[in-house]
Short mmCIF file of all heavy atoms in Angstrom, two decimals:
data_model
loop_
_atom_site.label_atom_id
_atom_site.label_comp_id
_atom_site.label_asym_id
_atom_site.label_seq_id
_atom_site.Cartn_x
_atom_site.Cartn_y
_atom_site.Cartn_z
N ALA A 1 77.21 62.00 107.72
CA ALA A 1 78.41 62.85 108.20
C ALA A 1 79.56 62.01 108.18
O ALA A 1 79.54 60.92 108.71
CB ALA A 1 78.10 63.57 109.52
N ASN A 2 80.60 62.47 107.51
CA ASN A 2 81.92 61.61 107.64
C ASN A 2 83.03 62.58 107.40
O ASN A 2 82.92 63.61 106.71
CB ASN A 2 81.96 60.44 106.63
CG ASN A 2 81.82 60.93 105.19
OD1 ASN A 2 80.82 61.55 104.81
ND2 ASN A 2 82.84 60.68 104.49
N LEU A 3 84.20 62.13 107.84
CA LEU A 3 85.31 63.05 107.59
C LEU A 3 85.93 62.66 106.11
O LEU A 3 85.78 61.66 105.84
CB LEU A 3 86.44 62.61 108.77
CG LEU A 3 86.03 62.81 110.07
CD1 LEU A 3 87.14 62.43 111.15
CD2 LEU A 3 85.76 64.45 110.28
N ALA A 4 86.61 63.56 105.59
CA ALA A 4 87.21 63.31 104.26
C ALA A 4 87.97 62.08 104.19
O ALA A 4 88.81 61.82 105.03
CB ALA A 4 88.07 64.56 103.90
N GLY A 5 87.75 61.25 103.23
CA GLY A 5 88.42 59.99 103.06
C GLY A 5 88.06 58.88 103.80
O GLY A 5 88.54 57.79 103.69
N GLU A 6 87.14 59.12 104.75
CA GLU A 6 86.59 58.08 105.62
C GLU A 6 85.24 57.60 105.16
O GLU A 6 84.46 58.22 104.46
CB GLU A 6 86.41 58.56 107.00
CG GLU A 6 87.66 58.97 107.74
CD GLU A 6 88.57 57.81 107.90
OE1 GLU A 6 88.14 56.74 108.20
OE2 GLU A 6 89.86 58.01 107.84
N PRO A 7 84.85 56.27 105.37
CA PRO A 7 83.57 55.87 104.96
C PRO A 7 82.38 56.61 105.67
O PRO A 7 82.71 57.10 106.73
CB PRO A 7 83.53 54.32 105.34
CG PRO A 7 84.67 54.31 106.48
CD PRO A 7 85.61 55.26 106.19
N SER A 8 81.31 56.56 105.09
CA SER A 8 80.07 57.27 105.82
C SER A 8 79.37 56.28 106.74
O SER A 8 78.98 55.15 106.40
CB SER A 8 79.02 57.60 104.71
OG SER A 8 79.52 58.59 103.86
N PRO A 9 79.50 56.51 108.07
CA PRO A 9 78.88 55.75 109.04
C PRO A 9 77.34 55.67 108.89
O PRO A 9 76.77 56.67 108.31
CB PRO A 9 79.34 56.36 110.28
CG PRO A 9 80.28 57.51 110.12
CD PRO A 9 80.14 57.69 108.70
N ARG A 10 76.77 54.54 109.06
CA ARG A 10 75.18 54.37 108.97
C ARG A 10 74.39 54.48 110.27
O ARG A 10 73.38 54.27 110.25
CB ARG A 10 75.00 53.19 108.21
CG ARG A 10 75.67 53.24 106.78
CD ARG A 10 75.38 52.12 105.89
NE ARG A 10 73.99 51.54 105.88
CZ ARG A 10 73.74 50.38 105.85
NH1 ARG A 10 74.48 49.40 105.86
NH2 ARG A 10 72.26 49.95 105.90
N GLU A 11 75.14 54.69 111.42
CA GLU A 11 74.48 54.74 112.67
C GLU A 11 75.27 55.67 113.61
O GLU A 11 76.31 56.08 113.34
CB GLU A 11 74.34 53.37 113.39
CG GLU A 11 75.63 52.53 113.26
CD GLU A 11 76.63 52.85 114.29
OE1 GLU A 11 76.15 53.34 115.53
OE2 GLU A 11 77.78 52.76 114.25
N ILE A 12 74.56 56.27 114.52
CA ILE A 12 74.93 57.40 115.32
C ILE A 12 76.22 57.13 115.99
O ILE A 12 77.11 57.87 116.15
CB ILE A 12 73.78 58.01 116.32
CG1 ILE A 12 74.28 59.36 116.84
CG2 ILE A 12 73.60 56.92 117.47
CD1 ILE A 12 74.23 60.36 115.83
N GLY A 13 76.39 55.89 116.60
CA GLY A 13 77.67 55.59 117.28
C GLY A 13 78.96 55.67 116.46
O GLY A 13 79.87 56.19 116.80
N GLY A 14 78.71 55.25 115.14
CA GLY A 14 79.86 55.31 114.27
C GLY A 14 80.13 56.71 113.81
O GLY A 14 81.31 57.14 113.64
N ILE A 15 79.23 57.60 113.73
CA ILE A 15 79.27 58.94 113.48
C ILE A 15 80.07 59.70 114.52
O ILE A 15 81.11 60.34 114.32
CB ILE A 15 77.93 59.77 113.17
CG1 ILE A 15 77.37 59.18 111.87
CG2 ILE A 15 78.18 61.26 113.07
CD1 ILE A 15 75.91 59.57 111.77
N LEU A 16 79.76 59.43 115.72
CA LEU A 16 80.31 60.06 117.01
C LEU A 16 81.82 59.68 117.10
O LEU A 16 82.68 60.35 117.49
CB LEU A 16 79.42 59.87 118.18
CG LEU A 16 78.07 60.54 118.15
CD1 LEU A 16 77.28 60.21 119.28
CD2 LEU A 16 78.17 62.16 118.00
N ALA A 17 81.95 58.30 116.79
CA ALA A 17 83.27 57.64 116.97
C ALA A 17 84.16 58.35 115.98
O ALA A 17 85.31 58.60 116.26
CB ALA A 17 83.18 56.19 116.85
N GLN A 18 83.76 58.47 114.82
CA GLN A 18 84.55 59.13 113.72
C GLN A 18 84.93 60.48 114.04
O GLN A 18 85.92 60.91 113.79
CB GLN A 18 83.77 58.86 112.32
CG GLN A 18 84.65 59.24 111.10
CD GLN A 18 83.89 59.18 109.84
OE1 GLN A 18 83.50 60.04 109.29
NE2 GLN A 18 83.94 57.90 109.36
N LEU A 19 83.96 61.19 114.61
CA LEU A 19 84.19 62.66 114.85
C LEU A 19 85.18 62.79 116.21
O LEU A 19 85.77 63.82 116.33
CB LEU A 19 82.95 63.41 115.12
CG LEU A 19 82.12 63.42 113.98
CD1 LEU A 19 80.78 64.13 114.28
CD2 LEU A 19 82.89 64.32 112.87
N GLY A 20 85.31 61.75 116.99
CA GLY A 20 86.13 61.74 118.18
C GLY A 20 85.78 62.91 119.04
O GLY A 20 84.59 63.24 119.50
N ALA A 21 86.86 63.71 119.60
CA ALA A 21 86.59 64.82 120.52
C ALA A 21 85.74 65.93 119.90
O ALA A 21 85.11 66.63 120.65
CB ALA A 21 87.94 65.35 120.91
N ARG A 22 85.74 66.08 118.56
CA ARG A 22 84.85 67.11 118.03
C ARG A 22 83.39 66.81 118.30
O ARG A 22 82.59 67.80 118.15
CB ARG A 22 85.17 67.07 116.45
CG ARG A 22 86.47 67.67 116.13
CD ARG A 22 86.67 67.49 114.56
NE ARG A 22 87.14 66.09 114.40
CZ ARG A 22 88.03 65.82 113.48
NH1 ARG A 22 88.54 66.71 112.71
NH2 ARG A 22 88.39 64.57 113.38
N SER A 23 83.00 65.61 118.47
CA SER A 23 81.53 65.33 118.79
C SER A 23 81.13 66.03 120.00
O SER A 23 79.89 66.20 120.11
CB SER A 23 81.31 63.77 118.91
OG SER A 23 81.91 63.35 119.94
N SER A 24 82.00 66.41 120.88
CA SER A 24 81.51 67.28 122.16
C SER A 24 80.94 68.64 121.70
O SER A 24 80.36 69.22 122.54
CB SER A 24 82.70 67.44 123.10
OG SER A 24 83.61 68.23 122.57
N LYS A 25 81.22 69.06 120.43
CA LYS A 25 80.67 70.50 120.03
C LYS A 25 79.32 70.34 119.48
O LYS A 25 78.75 71.24 119.16
CB LYS A 25 81.71 71.05 119.04
CG LYS A 25 83.02 71.28 119.64
CD LYS A 25 83.89 71.91 118.62
CE LYS A 25 85.24 72.24 119.31
NZ LYS A 25 86.17 72.83 118.28
N ILE A 26 78.76 69.09 119.32
CA ILE A 26 77.51 68.83 118.76
C ILE A 26 76.42 69.01 119.90
O ILE A 26 76.53 68.29 120.98
CB ILE A 26 77.34 67.45 118.21
CG1 ILE A 26 78.30 67.42 116.97
CG2 ILE A 26 75.89 67.20 117.69
CD1 ILE A 26 78.47 65.94 116.42
N ASP A 27 75.53 69.96 119.75
CA ASP A 27 74.41 70.11 120.76
C ASP A 27 73.32 69.20 120.73
O ASP A 27 72.73 68.89 121.79
CB ASP A 27 73.81 71.59 120.52
CG ASP A 27 74.77 72.69 120.76
OD1 ASP A 27 75.62 72.59 121.70
OD2 ASP A 27 74.70 73.79 120.01
N LEU A 28 73.01 68.57 119.69
CA LEU A 28 71.87 67.68 119.49
C LEU A 28 72.17 66.56 118.44
O LEU A 28 72.57 66.99 117.49
CB LEU A 28 70.72 68.42 119.14
CG LEU A 28 69.38 67.51 119.00
CD1 LEU A 28 68.84 66.97 120.23
CD2 LEU A 28 68.29 68.41 118.28
N THR A 29 71.86 65.35 118.82
CA THR A 29 71.89 64.25 117.75
C THR A 29 70.58 63.48 117.82
O THR A 29 69.90 63.41 118.96
CB THR A 29 73.01 63.23 118.07
OG1 THR A 29 72.90 62.64 119.37
CG2 THR A 29 74.41 63.92 117.94
N ILE A 30 70.09 63.18 116.69
CA ILE A 30 68.88 62.35 116.53
C ILE A 30 69.20 60.95 116.00
O ILE A 30 69.74 60.89 115.00
CB ILE A 30 67.91 63.08 115.74
CG1 ILE A 30 67.49 64.50 116.24
CG2 ILE A 30 66.54 62.32 115.40
CD1 ILE A 30 66.65 65.19 115.38
N ASP A 31 68.94 59.90 116.84
CA ASP A 31 69.19 58.65 116.49
C ASP A 31 68.16 58.04 115.77
O ASP A 31 67.10 57.75 116.34
CB ASP A 31 69.57 57.76 117.70
CG ASP A 31 70.08 56.33 117.37
OD1 ASP A 31 70.02 55.96 116.18
OD2 ASP A 31 70.56 55.70 118.16
N ALA A 32 68.19 57.86 114.40
CA ALA A 32 67.17 57.39 113.49
C ALA A 32 67.46 55.88 113.26
O ALA A 32 66.87 55.32 112.34
CB ALA A 32 67.10 58.08 112.15
N GLY A 33 68.38 55.34 114.05
CA GLY A 33 68.57 53.71 113.71
C GLY A 33 69.51 53.70 112.62
O GLY A 33 70.20 54.64 112.16
N LEU A 34 69.61 52.59 112.01
CA LEU A 34 70.55 52.17 110.98
C LEU A 34 70.04 52.80 109.71
O LEU A 34 68.93 52.68 109.28
CB LEU A 34 70.71 50.63 110.75
CG LEU A 34 71.64 50.14 109.64
CD1 LEU A 34 73.02 50.59 110.10
CD2 LEU A 34 71.48 48.67 109.50
N LEU A 35 70.89 53.78 109.10
CA LEU A 35 70.48 54.34 107.86
C LEU A 35 70.80 53.68 106.64
O LEU A 35 71.65 52.77 106.62
CB LEU A 35 71.26 55.70 107.69
CG LEU A 35 71.18 56.69 108.97
CD1 LEU A 35 72.11 57.94 108.80
CD2 LEU A 35 69.69 57.15 109.02
N PRO A 36 69.92 53.72 105.61
CA PRO A 36 70.18 53.04 104.31
C PRO A 36 71.46 53.39 103.74
O PRO A 36 71.87 54.68 103.84
CB PRO A 36 68.96 53.39 103.55
CG PRO A 36 68.45 54.73 104.04
CD PRO A 36 68.89 54.71 105.44
N GLU A 37 72.13 52.62 102.85
CA GLU A 37 73.29 53.03 102.13
C GLU A 37 72.88 54.00 101.08
O GLU A 37 71.71 53.96 100.56
CB GLU A 37 73.77 51.68 101.42
CG GLU A 37 74.56 50.87 102.38
CD GLU A 37 75.30 49.71 101.85
OE1 GLU A 37 75.94 49.98 100.83
OE2 GLU A 37 75.15 48.54 102.36
N ARG A 38 73.65 55.03 100.82
CA ARG A 38 73.36 56.05 99.77
C ARG A 38 74.64 56.78 99.37
O ARG A 38 75.55 56.48 99.95
CB ARG A 38 72.36 57.05 100.39
CG ARG A 38 72.88 57.77 101.66
CD ARG A 38 71.72 58.60 102.34
NE ARG A 38 72.24 58.82 103.74
CZ ARG A 38 72.40 59.82 104.15
NH1 ARG A 38 72.12 60.96 103.51
NH2 ARG A 38 72.84 60.23 105.45
N SER A 39 74.41 57.60 98.31
CA SER A 39 75.50 58.32 97.83
C SER A 39 76.07 59.20 98.96
O SER A 39 75.28 59.80 99.76
CB SER A 39 75.14 59.09 96.58
OG SER A 39 74.65 58.29 95.67
N ALA A 40 77.30 59.53 98.90
CA ALA A 40 77.84 60.62 99.81
C ALA A 40 77.29 62.00 99.55
O ALA A 40 76.79 62.26 98.46
CB ALA A 40 79.43 60.70 99.46
N SER A 41 77.38 62.82 100.56
CA SER A 41 76.69 64.15 100.40
C SER A 41 77.70 65.06 99.60
O SER A 41 78.87 64.79 99.50
CB SER A 41 76.77 64.91 101.82
OG SER A 41 75.92 64.03 102.70
N THR A 42 77.05 66.05 98.92
CA THR A 42 77.75 67.03 98.25
C THR A 42 78.08 68.18 99.20
O THR A 42 77.25 68.49 99.97
CB THR A 42 77.02 67.56 97.09
OG1 THR A 42 76.69 66.46 96.12
CG2 THR A 42 77.68 68.68 96.39
N VAL A 43 79.34 68.56 99.34
CA VAL A 43 79.63 69.56 100.27
C VAL A 43 80.18 70.82 99.48
O VAL A 43 80.94 70.74 98.50
CB VAL A 43 80.89 69.12 101.08
CG1 VAL A 43 81.39 70.14 102.07
CG2 VAL A 43 80.59 67.73 101.87
N VAL A 44 79.55 71.93 99.84
CA VAL A 44 79.96 73.12 99.11
C VAL A 44 80.32 74.20 99.99
O VAL A 44 80.02 74.19 101.28
CB VAL A 44 78.76 73.76 98.17
CG1 VAL A 44 78.37 72.74 97.13
CG2 VAL A 44 77.48 73.85 99.09
N ASP A 45 81.12 75.25 99.58
CA ASP A 45 81.55 76.33 100.30
C ASP A 45 81.05 77.51 99.65
O ASP A 45 81.30 77.77 98.43
CB ASP A 45 83.04 76.34 100.32
CG ASP A 45 83.62 77.61 101.15
OD1 ASP A 45 82.94 78.41 101.63
OD2 ASP A 45 85.00 77.74 101.08
N VAL A 46 80.29 78.44 100.38
CA VAL A 46 79.79 79.64 99.79
C VAL A 46 80.22 80.91 100.68
O VAL A 46 79.64 81.92 100.59
CB VAL A 46 78.14 79.68 99.77
CG1 VAL A 46 77.77 78.69 98.70
CG2 VAL A 46 77.56 79.32 101.01
N SER A 47 81.19 80.63 101.48
CA SER A 47 81.76 81.67 102.35
C SER A 47 82.26 82.97 101.64
O SER A 47 82.34 83.97 102.18
CB SER A 47 82.88 81.01 103.33
OG SER A 47 84.00 80.59 102.58
N MET A 48 82.70 82.77 100.38
CA MET A 48 83.24 83.88 99.71
C MET A 48 82.28 84.48 98.62
O MET A 48 82.65 85.20 97.83
CB MET A 48 84.58 83.37 98.90
CG MET A 48 85.60 82.99 99.92
SD MET A 48 86.17 84.12 101.18
CE MET A 48 87.24 85.10 100.08
N GLY A 49 81.01 84.06 98.82
CA GLY A 49 80.05 84.71 97.92
C GLY A 49 79.82 83.99 96.57
O GLY A 49 78.80 84.26 95.89
N GLU A 50 80.68 82.92 96.37
CA GLU A 50 80.36 82.11 95.14
C GLU A 50 80.34 80.73 95.59
O GLU A 50 80.98 80.21 96.61
CB GLU A 50 81.52 82.35 94.25
CG GLU A 50 81.52 83.77 93.49
CD GLU A 50 82.44 83.74 92.36
OE1 GLU A 50 82.81 82.74 91.82
OE2 GLU A 50 82.75 84.93 92.08
N LEU A 51 79.59 79.87 94.89
CA LEU A 51 79.58 78.40 95.23
C LEU A 51 80.89 77.69 94.80
O LEU A 51 81.18 77.75 93.63
CB LEU A 51 78.27 77.76 94.55
CG LEU A 51 78.00 76.37 94.98
CD1 LEU A 51 76.56 76.21 95.30
CD2 LEU A 51 78.32 75.48 93.80
N ARG A 52 81.45 76.99 95.68
CA ARG A 52 82.69 76.13 95.35
C ARG A 52 82.34 74.75 95.86
O ARG A 52 82.14 74.59 97.04
CB ARG A 52 83.86 76.81 96.00
CG ARG A 52 85.15 76.15 95.58
CD ARG A 52 86.35 76.82 96.11
NE ARG A 52 86.39 76.96 97.55
CZ ARG A 52 87.24 76.24 98.24
NH1 ARG A 52 88.22 75.49 97.71
NH2 ARG A 52 87.21 76.29 99.73
N ILE A 53 82.44 73.79 95.00
CA ILE A 53 82.29 72.40 95.37
C ILE A 53 83.56 71.87 96.00
O ILE A 53 84.57 71.92 95.44
CB ILE A 53 81.88 71.64 94.17
CG1 ILE A 53 80.68 72.10 93.60
CG2 ILE A 53 81.74 70.07 94.58
CD1 ILE A 53 80.29 71.42 92.12
N LEU A 54 83.34 71.41 97.32
CA LEU A 54 84.38 70.83 97.97
C LEU A 54 84.47 69.26 97.75
O LEU A 54 85.53 68.61 97.75
CB LEU A 54 84.37 71.11 99.53
CG LEU A 54 84.31 72.55 99.85
CD1 LEU A 54 84.17 72.76 101.40
CD2 LEU A 54 85.67 73.42 99.38
N ARG A 55 83.28 68.79 97.57
CA ARG A 55 83.08 67.38 97.31
C ARG A 55 81.83 67.02 96.60
O ARG A 55 80.74 67.36 97.10
CB ARG A 55 83.14 66.46 98.56
CG ARG A 55 82.96 64.92 98.47
CD ARG A 55 83.03 64.09 99.61
NE ARG A 55 81.74 64.33 100.28
CZ ARG A 55 81.50 63.94 101.57
NH1 ARG A 55 82.61 63.31 102.22
NH2 ARG A 55 80.36 64.16 102.15
N GLU A 56 81.92 66.52 95.42
CA GLU A 56 80.84 66.17 94.60
C GLU A 56 80.12 64.91 95.13
O GLU A 56 81.01 63.87 95.26
CB GLU A 56 81.00 66.14 93.12
CG GLU A 56 79.84 66.11 92.36
CD GLU A 56 80.02 66.24 90.70
OE1 GLU A 56 81.09 66.69 90.46
OE2 GLU A 56 79.10 65.88 89.94
N GLY A 57 78.89 64.76 95.31
CA GLY A 57 78.16 63.57 95.85
C GLY A 57 77.00 63.47 95.17
O GLY A 57 76.87 63.44 93.94
N ALA A 58 75.90 63.21 95.96
CA ALA A 58 74.63 62.97 95.46
C ALA A 58 73.92 64.03 94.53
O ALA A 58 73.32 63.85 93.59
CB ALA A 58 73.57 62.63 96.63
N VAL A 59 74.36 65.34 94.80
CA VAL A 59 74.00 66.38 93.95
C VAL A 59 75.17 66.85 93.10
O VAL A 59 76.23 67.05 93.63
CB VAL A 59 73.55 67.63 94.79
CG1 VAL A 59 73.10 68.82 93.85
CG2 VAL A 59 72.41 67.29 95.72
N SER A 60 74.97 66.67 91.76
CA SER A 60 76.13 66.93 90.84
C SER A 60 76.44 68.34 90.69
O SER A 60 75.66 69.25 90.86
CB SER A 60 75.80 66.24 89.51
OG SER A 60 74.84 66.91 88.85
N ALA A 61 77.55 68.61 90.07
CA ALA A 61 78.08 69.92 89.65
C ALA A 61 77.02 70.53 88.80
O ALA A 61 76.74 71.71 88.75
CB ALA A 61 79.45 69.88 89.21
N ALA A 62 76.63 69.66 87.77
CA ALA A 62 75.68 70.21 86.74
C ALA A 62 74.33 70.65 87.54
O ALA A 62 73.75 71.74 87.01
CB ALA A 62 75.44 69.19 85.79
N GLU A 63 73.87 69.93 88.43
CA GLU A 63 72.61 70.26 89.18
C GLU A 63 72.91 71.57 89.95
O GLU A 63 71.90 72.45 89.94
CB GLU A 63 72.19 69.22 90.04
CG GLU A 63 71.70 67.90 89.44
CD GLU A 63 71.40 66.82 90.44
OE1 GLU A 63 72.40 66.35 90.87
OE2 GLU A 63 70.31 66.54 90.46
N LEU A 64 74.03 71.78 90.48
CA LEU A 64 74.27 72.91 91.25
C LEU A 64 74.47 74.19 90.31
O LEU A 64 74.15 75.28 90.68
CB LEU A 64 75.51 72.85 92.09
CG LEU A 64 75.46 71.79 93.15
CD1 LEU A 64 76.77 71.56 93.86
CD2 LEU A 64 74.42 72.44 94.36
N ALA A 65 75.05 73.87 89.12
CA ALA A 65 75.16 75.03 88.10
C ALA A 65 73.78 75.68 87.68
O ALA A 65 73.76 76.81 87.30
CB ALA A 65 75.95 74.48 86.92
N GLY A 66 72.70 74.86 87.87
CA GLY A 66 71.41 75.39 87.45
C GLY A 66 70.75 76.15 88.64
O GLY A 66 69.61 76.71 88.47
N LEU A 67 71.47 76.34 89.72
CA LEU A 67 70.79 77.15 90.95
C LEU A 67 71.03 78.60 90.60
O LEU A 67 72.02 79.07 90.10
CB LEU A 67 71.51 76.73 92.10
CG LEU A 67 71.20 75.29 92.60
CD1 LEU A 67 71.91 75.00 93.87
CD2 LEU A 67 69.73 75.08 92.67
#
């Protein structure tokens, strides 16, 4: 989890720090320790009934087109 334009934190403390006051809205966090480096998440919006890519990451637009 990361904010747009910010690096992806690899541990829970960094995630909560990046979210700041918004982290108080999180009901549960699971601390899995230091996470491995990986590609950013793909973020999509389906609120209007169609898939719209907000950020392409580990799952490409081509892969999503096949859904």
Side-chain angles (χ1 to χ4, degrees):
N2 64 298
L3 299 177
E6 296 293 325
S8 295
R10 295 179 49 217
E11 45 82 29
I12 195 69
I15 293 168
L16 297 175
Q18 192 176 95
L19 294 173
R22 288 174 279 217
S23 68
S24 67
K25 296 181 180 183
I26 298 171
D27 293 322
L28 173 71
T29 57
I30 299 173
D31 188 349
L34 184 64
L35 300 173
E37 290 187 40
R38 58 194 163 115
S39 299
S41 301
T42 300
V43 179
V44 297
D45 176 3
V46 292
S47 64
M48 301 302 285
E50 292 188 23
L51 186 128
R52 183 170 67 105
I53 298 172
L54 302 178
R55 179 180 72 192
E56 188 170 345
V59 179
S60 70
E63 290 173 293
L64 290 171
L67 296 177

